[in-house]
Amino acid sequence: MTLSVLARLSPFHRTRLTPWLCRGLQQQAAPRKGLKVLFFGTDEFSSSALTALSKGIYAENPGVAHIEVVCPPPRYKVRTIKEKTKLIWKARVSSRATNLGIHVHNTPEGGSIQNWEVPNVDLKAGYGANARFDIGVVASFGAFLPQRIIDSFPQKMINLHPSLLPKYRGPTPIQTAILNNDSHTGVTVQEVHPKRYDAGNILAQVPFELKLGMTRVDLMTQLGHLGGELAVRVLQNLEYMRKNSIVQNEEEATLTRMFTSGDAKIRWEDMTAMDVMRMHWAHFGHIAVWSFLRVKNKVLTVKMTDIELATSFDDPLEDDYLSFRPGSCLRKRKYNYVEFPCIEGGRLHVRGFTVEGKQPRDGLQFAAGYIKKNKTPCMLTLSPDCKRPTPNFVYPEEYKRPSHMAAVKLYDIPLYHSKSGLVRKLKLKAEAEEAKASEKSDESKETEESEESKASEELGETEELKETEELKETEEPKEIEALKEIEESKEAVESETTEPNETKEPK
């Protein structure tokens, strides 16, 4: 059928549509060189790693010949009234595999794989009825793999971990790196240990620069792609990598833990604006940053979904915002965000809110519903007693209120996800400062040159005066000598004229 369709198409459309129409024929073609890989994964990190691994099939030295995916099954919610099912959750790697045309195997429902058997290679791949996979590749699978499953592969199993092991072992290495403000992270390809998580021998590592402002989702996608490319190179030289593998140093090992919603609560008494932003970046797409809000006799939990860090280009909504307690809800008409001052002088602009039991709303809707004109409500760290007044804010010991100028220019830094025009404004500001500095340097040079010219003129005048004085001093004795000579010559002439007269008289 596909060949008859292709025969009717033009050469241009035939070259464009051949990969899609002949996908089944390509899968039944002769098997490629390389390893048959069974990939285990669930989230964004594993889906981007799968994309990079699939590109390794078409490399000049293919370490991967065929890939199939294992992931948890999708979860549905059954409605008993209309007897309809609603999809609640589906693994990201499953949807990515269907887009790439890769066959997907699901584990049993409930998450237990103790009695699960490794499947055979799909018949459409062309390896036969009972073909087995050569190696297993794990990337953020979320379940412990027993020794029985590891031994079912002739080449055992390797794991992609988004950190530089032995640092940050466990389930949340990316979130921990963001919260600790690390400058670098990385990807490690290691052998799967049968008894402990992330404790196998290291086969390869690649560092990665962690830029300020990167979220959890950004790092998962970029590190997953980097780890997939690294895994292709490891599979191309698997024997060499295993001979030169490195045993992890247990003394340098650090463990990570699973985060809950309690880890995303804002503590207004000791958290700066940058601390809140790091918490937002670390839990982005998984847990929303939240706080308490008291409205009359009710205490509500408010989730903040869209948060930005204010800079000096954003004028504060209140000129004396430093006089408000941290966590105060400041608003202004026609502004689509609510401003929250923090304890160090920084400001947070929140554009998305979700109050418990209600639909998500933007900044204008939240301000219209919960902020009155004459009253400014405050976010609270602890839930107060509804029958008593709200307790006063307790500042830390030795607290000093920052100055206005220092607080406004506190976070003039370009972030990975900067607001529109912020980087351009910062560049223009830097260029203006450089221009001012160059003008000042030119003015200083001109003043120095003018001072030097004045000094040289003064030196020239003083030298001329000295020369004239020296000339006067040298010329005066010469003139005196000349006058004396003239007088002597006159006297000599007079004496000559008088001598003959005197001699004639006696004759």
Side-chain angles (χ1 to χ4, degrees), residues 6 43 157 169 171 187 204 211 226 232 242 252 310 316 331 337 343 345 395 413 426 431 447 464 469 481 489-490:
L6 288 173
D43 55 8
M157 301 182 75
R169 292 179 181 176
V187 182
K211 297 181 181 179
L226 185 63
V232 171
R242 280 180 171 165
E252 298 178 356
R331 71 140 184 184
Y337 59 84
I343 195 164
Y395 287 91
I413 48 177
L426 291 173
E431 290 176 358
T447 53
E464 288 179 358
E469 290 177 356
E481 291 178 356
S489 61
K490 286 181 179 180

Side-chain angles (χ1 to χ4, degrees), residues 167-179:
K167 189 178 182 181
Y168 298 151
R169 292 179 181 176
T172 56
I174 294 176
Q175 295 91 315
T176 308
I178 295 173
L179 290 172

Side-chain angles (χ1 to χ4, degrees), residues 127-148:
Y127 290 98
N130 297 320
R132 305 292 295 177
F133 289 97
D134 297 322
I135 191 171
V137 178
V138 187
S140 186
F141 183 56
F144 186 78
L145 299 171
Q147 184 70 44
R148 177 182 57 83

Side-chain angles (χ1 to χ4, degrees), residues 99-361:
N99 293 334
L100 296 173
I102 298 173
H103 186 68
V104 179
H105 304 274
N106 289 326
T107 57
E109 294 183 359
S112 177
I113 58 174
Q114 295 298 326
N115 299 324
W116 179 75
E117 296 292 336
V118 178
N120 295 330
V121 182
D122 191 15
L123 289 173
K124 294 181 181 180
Y127 290 98
N130 297 320
R132 305 292 295 177
F133 289 97
D134 297 322
I135 191 171
V137 178
V138 187
S140 186
F141 183 56
F144 186 78
L145 299 171
Q147 184 70 44
R148 177 182 57 83
I149 295 177
I150 297 172
D151 294 336
S152 62
F153 297 96
Q155 298 290 340
K156 305 298 181 182
M157 301 182 75
I158 61 174
N159 178 30
L160 309 182
H161 187 73
S163 75
L164 298 176
L165 291 175
K167 189 178 182 181
Y168 298 151
R169 292 179 181 176
T172 56
I174 294 176
Q175 295 91 315
T176 308
I178 295 173
L179 290 172
N180 293 341
N181 195 20
D182 292 347
S183 61
H184 286 82
T185 183
V187 182
T188 303
V189 179
Q190 56 156 354
E191 294 180 342
V192 176
H193 198 276
K195 295 182 179 180
R196 291 183 296 168
Y197 282 108
D198 307 322
N201 294 342
I202 297 173
L203 301 177
Q205 279 185 341
V206 173
F208 181 81
E209 183 183 1
L210 203 160
K211 297 181 181 179
L212 189 65
M214 280 187 170
T215 63
R216 181 186 68 93
V217 178
D218 297 330
L219 283 175
M220 290 179 84
T221 53
Q222 296 189 29
L223 291 177
H225 189 77
L226 185 63
E229 292 179 347
L230 185 62
V232 171
R233 296 189 180 184
V234 169
L235 294 174
Q236 290 173 352
N237 306 292
L238 187 59
E239 294 181 0
Y240 175 79
M241 293 292 185
R242 280 180 171 165
K243 287 180 182 178
N244 297 280
S245 62
I246 301 172
V247 180
Q248 296 189 32
N249 187 2
E250 296 296 330
E251 295 180 355
E252 298 178 356
T254 56
L255 299 176
T256 60
R257 62 180 180 88
M258 290 295 294
F259 292 103
T260 61
S261 60
D263 297 312
K265 185 175 72 171
I266 301 175
R267 302 184 306 274
W268 298 103
E269 287 80 8
D270 58 353
M271 292 185 71
T272 63
M274 185 58 74
D275 294 336
V276 177
M277 291 304 300
R278 286 198 190 97
M279 192 165 59
H280 172 66
W281 297 329
H283 304 301
F284 183 79
H286 178 56
I287 304 172
V289 173
W290 63 279
S291 184
F292 289 110
L293 176 65
R294 182 171 182 174
V295 179
K296 294 183 179 179
N297 291 331
K298 292 183 180 180
V299 179
L300 307 175
T301 58
V302 180
K303 295 180 180 179
M304 306 176 189
T305 55
D306 187 2
I307 309 176
E308 291 180 350
L309 194 64
T311 63
S312 63
F313 301 103
D314 303 317
D315 295 331
L317 299 184
E318 296 288 343
D319 295 334
D320 57 342
Y321 73 96
L322 292 173
S323 62
F324 291 87
R325 56 174 285 179
S328 300
C329 303
L330 306 180
R331 71 140 184 184
K332 203 171 186 178
R333 192 178 178 185
K334 296 183 180 180
Y335 282 83
N336 63 343
Y337 59 84
V338 179
E339 187 174 85
F340 294 93
C342 295
I343 195 164
E344 90 288 7
R347 293 170 291 140
L348 297 173
H349 290 172
V350 184
R351 289 179 168 84
F353 296 89
T354 303
V355 183
E356 62 172 339
K358 302 206 175 168
Q359 295 293 327
R361 57 189 66 193

